[in-house]
Amino acid sequence: MAKKKKRKTSERQVQKPVRQKKRIKESDLYESRVVAPLRRQLRRAQEAGHLQAIDEIWGELQDAQKQHRMLIDRGTFVERP
């Protein structure tokens, strides 16, 4: 069986370029940070039957969804946190 050849390390190593942070659409980030948690809260309140909490969360969710739709139309990208 033949021996594997060892690689010779070169004296000058190539430095890897600095990686840029990945970018994400601003609307997707807003949806995952604001809208989705409100939806989960609303679903839990509905399942538990908390009518007062449902009314409060519903208004917040409607406002958040309006903002989300405006961000979709804008279509800007931001760095991923």
Side-chain angles (χ1 to χ4, degrees), residues 18-30:
V18 177
R19 290 185 64 187
Q20 291 182 344
K21 279 192 168 185
K22 292 189 177 182
R23 298 174 69 78
I24 186 172
K25 277 192 176 179
E26 187 178 10
S27 60
D28 292 342
L29 182 64
Y30 185 81

Side-chain angles (χ1 to χ4, degrees), residues 13-74:
Q13 294 180 348
V14 179
Q15 291 182 348
K16 292 182 182 178
V18 177
R19 290 185 64 187
Q20 291 182 344
K21 279 192 168 185
K22 292 189 177 182
R23 298 174 69 78
I24 186 172
K25 277 192 176 179
E26 187 178 10
S27 60
D28 292 342
L29 182 64
Y30 185 81
E31 200 277 334
S32 64
R33 291 272 172 104
V34 178
V35 178
L38 284 173
R39 284 186 185 140
R40 285 193 294 270
Q41 288 176 1
L42 179 64
R43 188 174 351 108
R44 288 187 192 116
Q46 287 173 333
E47 290 170 355
H50 298 299
L51 298 178
Q52 185 178 5
I54 291 172
D55 291 338
E56 292 172 10
I57 296 170
W58 180 258
E60 292 177 30
L61 180 61
Q62 293 303 308
D63 294 338
Q65 286 178 331
K66 285 179 188 176
Q67 179 67 27
H68 180 246
R69 282 193 295 272
M70 286 191 295
L71 290 173
I72 289 174
D73 293 339
R74 197 178 310 161

